[in-house]
């Protein structure tokens, strides 16, 4: 087991990881870009290294600078957080070559699952159901023929995509050629890899994911599911566990399928198996995320486990701290993401300085945030400002606590808008209150807003 | 000519034709890829390798000082190799584009050049010091 961890990330997740490292007695090293020099994690960490300017390819994606920072500070391990280099197999491999423990799955697994078309094929072979679609990247003509055979709507996905990026839904054969060209161009620009594949698109779906944890001692655990159906343009806004209103054995069958696949493929570390559930209650594998996820706190609230601690233990060669029979899922946890975006203006980001930031607190509320009064939200990075998490012994209490917490939250500053009121509308919407919401809910809400 | 010589030759020819100095070139021979990275002028404080920045200028007519800063995290060396004479000493006269140090980062040596001409007033970090991005290295009193 190592004694020091460099955190190759920023924002709320860097601070969240640093907190667990401190609790575990590990020396923590933060890295930061120029506009993040006053970020709380820089003050919190034992050491902090300025690695580059604002542009992420010169800072948070700058592998030589991060490795150099690790060596200069004597770091023994690197935690990549989410986004940035967290699922870059080259980075994981370079860390290992340089003698730094990468806190995540081995590079070979990341590469395998990083190709989403390949992951789909592997999972189908491992016995998980997948939506009708392609087993590999497709050229224009074969893609059009396959789409026509499957039936519209279909969804085009970047092979190198993930995290809800590089997706485009096509509703008719007539629109297909243009949509295919756009999807390729977008994939090329975003991931430097223009390959795309396709699947049937499920319009009113539930997005359910299973959290797994695999150590190097043969233990394969599942930590329950998360419902992430509240999405805008494939970006999650509200997540909860357990998933409300599913058929009694459905989540259990999905978890069993995920564990079986994880076992067969020799998965290591913390991972998330994402599924779609259609209106008839059939589930389909979508992708695997080889990282800690933004929405991990809801799982922590119902399991009592610190997932970052488990990740660190497993990377350090220790077994998971619990066995499957020790894990009991208690109550209901909900997470709302507060973004510095203006819902009235198409959710455009609103950078600026916070003149007031008072996070909610009180019974059974957790706020993960790097924001404080006086904090300046940089224009260069994503707009996630805070994650507010509530817990209750049942869904109604968890919802009541969340409603109360969102009412307490105070955030303002010149030019700054947030998604707060939009989130409040989501969780008070009858479909959400009844646990009958699907991935179509947010679009419905936006249309209802326009009619007012 | 073998493949490697041929490639090197082509690269030199290409470099001569480039309109400005790139900050990085990546060449791959199998399937022939070539990536050129240009000085990044669009991203605020980003600086190409020859980094020089004005310090807070004194307004009493004193010397105008500029600072050579680290363009990357790494280890700053004052000389090309151990035992070799330093690129510059305090009091030396330098011209824009002259090498004043070197930074080793991931086993790669990046020459550090001054963007302005003048007199070296102070060397701010000792030889073989680990420096972060944007760290001030050498103070130069500008000419004129």
């Amino acid at each position: 087991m190592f004694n020091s961890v460099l955190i190759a990330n920023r924002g709320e997740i860097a601070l969240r990881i640093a907190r667990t490292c401190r609790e575990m007695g590990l020396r923590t090293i933060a890295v930061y870009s120029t506009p993040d020099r006053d970020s709380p994690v820089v003050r919190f960490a034992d050491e902090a290294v300025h690695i580059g300017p604002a542009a992420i390819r010169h800072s948070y994606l700058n592998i030589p600078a991060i490795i150099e920072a690790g060596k200069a500070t004597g770091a023994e391990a690197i935690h990549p957080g989410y986004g940035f280099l967290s699922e870059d197999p080259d980075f994981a491999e370079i860390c290992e070559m340089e003698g730094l423990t990468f806190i995540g799955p081995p590079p070979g697994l990341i590469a395998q699952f990083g190709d989403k078309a390949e992951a789909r094929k592997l999972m189908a072979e491992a016995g998980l159901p997948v939506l009708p679609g392609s087993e590999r990247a497709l050229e224009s003509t074969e893609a059009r023929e396959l789409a026509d055979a499957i039936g519209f709507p279909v969804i085009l996905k970047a092979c190198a995509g993930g995290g809800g990026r590089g997706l485009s839904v096509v509703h008719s054969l007539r629109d297909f050629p243009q949509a295919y060209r756009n999807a390729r161009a977008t994939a090329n620009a975003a991931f430097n890899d223009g390959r795309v594949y396709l699947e049937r698109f499920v319009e009113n779906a539930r997005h359910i994911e299973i959290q797994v944890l695999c150590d190097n001692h043969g233990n394969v655990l599942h930590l329950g599911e998360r419902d992430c159906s509240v999405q805008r343009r494939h970006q999650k806004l509200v997540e909860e566990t357990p998933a409300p209103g599913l058929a009694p054995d459905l989540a259990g069958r999905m978890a069993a399928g995920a564990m079986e696949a994880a076992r067969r493929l020799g998965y290591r570390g913390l991972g998330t198996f994402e599924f779609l559930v259609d209106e008839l209650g059939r589930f389909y594998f979508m992708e695997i995320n080889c990282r800690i996820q933004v929405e991990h706190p809801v799982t922590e609230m119902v399991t009592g486990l610190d997932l970052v601690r488990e990740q660190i233990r497993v990377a350090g060669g220790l077994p998971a701290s619990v066995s499957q029979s020790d894990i009991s899922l208690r109550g209901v946890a909900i997470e709302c993401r507060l973004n510095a975006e203006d819902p009235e203006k198409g959710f455009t980001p609103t950078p600026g300085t916070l003149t007031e930031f008072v996070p909610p607190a009180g019974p059974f509320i957790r706020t993960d945030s790097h924001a404080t009064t006086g904090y300046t939200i940089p224009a260069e990075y994503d707009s996630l400002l805070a994650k507010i998490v509530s817990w209750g012994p049942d869904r109604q209490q968890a919802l009541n606590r969340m409603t109360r917490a969102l009412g307490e939250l105070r955030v303002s500053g010149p030019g700054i808008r947030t998604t707060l009121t939009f989130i409040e509308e989501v969780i008070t919407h009858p479909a959400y209150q009844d646990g009958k919401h699907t991935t179509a809910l947010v679009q419905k809400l936006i249309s209802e807003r326009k009619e007012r | 000519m073998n493949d490697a010589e041929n490639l090197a030759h082509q690269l030199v020819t290409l470099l001569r034709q480039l309109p400005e100095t790139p900050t990085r070139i990546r060449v791959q021979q199998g399937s022939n890829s070539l990536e050129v990275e240009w000085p990044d002028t669009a991203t605020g404080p980003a600086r190409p390798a020859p980094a020089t920045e004005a310090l807070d200028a004194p307004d009493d007519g004193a010397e105008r000082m500029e600072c050579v800063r680290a363009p990357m995290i790494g280890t700053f060396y004052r000389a090309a190799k151990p035992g070799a004479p330093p690129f510059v000493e305090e009091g030396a006269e330098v011209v824009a584009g002259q090498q004043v140090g070197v930074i080793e980062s991931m086993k790669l040596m990046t020459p550090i050049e001054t963007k302005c001409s003048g007199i070296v007033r102070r060397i701010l970090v000792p030889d073989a010091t680990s420096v972060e991005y944007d760290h001030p290295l050498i103070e130069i009193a500008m000419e004129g």
Side-chain angles (χ1 to χ4, degrees):
Chain A
M1 183 70 189
F2 40 81
N3 295 304
S4 54
V5 176
L6 180 144
I7 300 158
N9 215 298
R10 62 173 302 283
E12 67 89 15
I13 195 65
L15 184 58
R16 188 259 167 273
I17 294 164
R19 283 172 164 151
T20 288
C21 291
R22 173 74 39 85
E23 289 168 14
M24 295 177 79
L26 301 168
R27 187 165 64 91
T28 62
I29 299 115
V31 296
Y32 63 97
S33 69
T34 309
D36 279 339
R37 55 159 55 104
D38 297 321
S39 181
V41 72
V42 171
R43 263 169 289 152
F44 183 90
D46 296 306
E47 282 176 73
V49 183
H50 191 184
I51 51 165
I56 57 172
R57 74 193 168 98
H58 294 301
S59 49
Y60 298 108
L61 292 181
N62 185 345
I63 295 176
I66 291 166
I67 299 284
E68 197 66 35
K71 301 195 131 184
T73 54
E76 294 160 273
I78 294 196
H79 197 305
Y82 53 66
F84 296 129
L85 295 168
S86 61
E87 291 176 285
D88 182 331
D90 293 341
F91 179 58
E93 200 175 332
I94 292 168
C95 287
E96 290 188 357
M97 277 161 40
E98 297 291 335
L100 293 152
T101 303
F102 177 79
I103 301 174
L109 280 172
I110 301 176
Q112 233 176 1
F113 299 134
D115 182 329
K116 302 299 167 184
E118 176 74 11
R120 212 180 101 89
K121 186 165 155 258
L122 285 171
M123 289 304 137
E125 286 165 8
L128 286 179
V130 295
L131 282 161
S134 55
E135 292 200 339
R136 56 185 169 80
L138 296 174
E139 292 310 315
S140 173
T141 312
E142 50 179 356
R144 201 188 64 223
E145 284 166 2
L146 181 63
D148 201 27
I150 290 169
F152 289 90
V154 297
I155 184 163
L156 286 165
K157 299 185 174 187
C159 292
R165 299 177 310 145
L167 308 175
S168 115
V169 178
V170 196
H171 290 277
S172 73
L173 189 59
R174 196 168 43 106
D175 299 337
F176 192 85
Q178 184 62 43
Y180 179 86
R181 280 195 296 276
N182 289 350
R184 276 203 74 106
T186 309
N188 228 332
F191 311 109
N192 205 14
D193 179 345
R195 293 174 306 131
V196 295
Y197 69 105
L198 68 85
E199 278 179 356
R200 191 169 75 208
F201 179 63
V202 183
E203 234 145 336
N204 286 300
R206 293 284 290 275
H207 174 119
I208 311 285
E209 56 189 31
I210 304 290
Q211 180 74 66
V212 300
L213 174 65
C214 306
D215 62 20
N216 299 319
H217 302 268
N219 297 309
V220 175
L221 312 178
H222 89 84
L223 308 174
E225 81 277 10
R226 292 185 289 258
D227 182 328
C228 311
S229 305
V230 179
Q231 303 185 355
R232 180 186 158 269
R233 295 192 177 168
H234 310 289
Q235 295 299 316
K236 298 161 187 171
L237 296 176
V238 178
E239 302 98 345
E240 68 178 288
T241 185
L246 288 191
D249 63 332
L250 187 57
R253 281 193 287 133
M254 289 162 71
M259 283 166 73
E260 174 60 20
R263 226 174 256 122
R264 277 213 217 176
L265 295 162
Y267 194 82
R268 294 292 161 84
L270 193 68
T272 300
F273 284 64
E274 294 194 342
F275 296 93
L276 273 188
V277 176
D278 70 11
E279 286 169 299
L280 298 173
R282 294 173 298 199
F283 68 88
Y284 305 97
F285 167 80
M286 278 200 304
E287 62 180 65
I288 299 181
N289 300 130
C290 301
R291 58 165 192 271
I292 187 90
Q293 287 199 261
V294 178
E295 61 272 24
H296 75 275
V298 294
T299 300
E300 297 185 326
M301 299 295 267
V302 300
T303 57
L305 285 176
D306 177 336
L307 297 194
V308 172
R309 181 168 180 267
E310 295 304 320
Q311 262 190 315
I312 290 172
R313 285 178 57 94
V314 167
L318 299 172
S321 69
V322 290
S323 64
Q324 191 72 55
S325 57
D326 298 331
I327 298 167
S328 60
L329 307 172
R330 286 190 60 241
V332 172
I334 302 172
E335 174 184 277
C336 289
R337 299 192 193 186
L338 182 76
N339 293 334
E341 293 172 0
D342 188 351
E344 306 298 327
K345 290 184 184 151
F347 292 84
T348 47
T350 59
T353 299
L354 295 168
T355 47
E356 185 179 34
F357 182 81
V358 184
F364 301 97
I365 295 297
R366 161 178 173 181
T367 303
D368 280 19
S369 177
H370 56 301
T372 53
T373 296
Y375 176 74
T376 298
I377 306 162
E380 291 86 357
Y381 308 117
D382 83 38
S383 54
L384 181 62
L385 197 57
K387 306 187 309 202
I388 295 107
V389 186
S390 72
W391 183 90
D394 56 47
R395 189 164 189 261
Q396 195 54 55
Q397 275 198 64
L399 266 171
N400 292 347
R401 282 175 176 152
M402 180 58 82
T403 311
R404 184 268 296 169
L406 294 180
E408 267 181 46
L409 174 68
R410 298 173 70 89
V411 48
S412 58
I416 288 172
R417 299 282 178 277
T418 73
T419 48
L420 178 59
T421 54
F422 189 81
I423 294 293
E424 287 179 319
E425 283 175 42
V426 169
I427 65 163
T428 52
H429 194 279
Y432 186 79
Q433 289 274 329
D434 294 346
K436 295 199 168 75
H437 57 288
T438 70
T439 45
L441 174 66
V442 169
Q443 198 46 53
K444 189 163 170 275
L445 250 170
I446 292 171
S447 312
E448 285 173 9
R449 277 184 150 224
K450 282 185 186 143
E451 282 165 22
R452 287 205 300 268
Chain B
M1 220 185 299
N2 66 29
D3 280 357
E5 283 172 20
N6 191 19
L7 184 72
H9 178 74
Q10 287 180 14
L11 201 57
V12 170
T13 312
L14 173 85
L15 274 170
R16 288 206 182 102
Q17 291 167 353
L18 292 177
E20 60 178 311
T21 314
T23 52
R24 176 181 301 184
I25 295 189
R26 189 173 165 274
V27 186
Q28 191 185 345
Q29 201 169 12
S31 80
N32 311 324
S33 99
L34 175 74
E35 279 173 35
V36 181
E37 209 167 286
W38 302 104
D40 197 346
T41 47
T43 49
R47 289 285 182 274
T52 316
E53 258 182 30
L55 294 177
D56 292 340
D59 51 7
D60 53 1
E63 286 184 323
R64 212 152 68 83
M65 301 300 250
E66 287 237 347
C67 210
V68 179
R69 289 170 176 270
M72 65 189 62
I73 171 176
T75 306
F76 174 72
Y77 293 104
R78 292 188 51 203
K81 55 184 172 191
F87 292 107
V88 288
E89 295 282 8
E90 290 180 357
E93 198 175 339
V94 291
V95 294
Q98 183 178 335
Q99 183 171 1
V100 293
V102 62
I103 287 185
E104 181 184 1
S105 186
M106 295 293 287
K107 296 169 193 109
L108 277 176
M109 299 301 227
T110 303
I112 305 303
E113 298 168 358
T114 169
K115 274 212 298 197
C116 67
S117 303
I119 308 290
V120 175
R121 279 290 173 246
R122 280 197 301 160
I123 309 236
L124 302 167
V125 290
D127 190 44
T129 304
S130 173
V131 292
E132 301 185 7
Y133 169 76
D134 213 32
H135 194 100
L137 304 172
I138 294 173
E139 204 173 84
I140 292 169
M142 284 175 76
E143 209 169 50

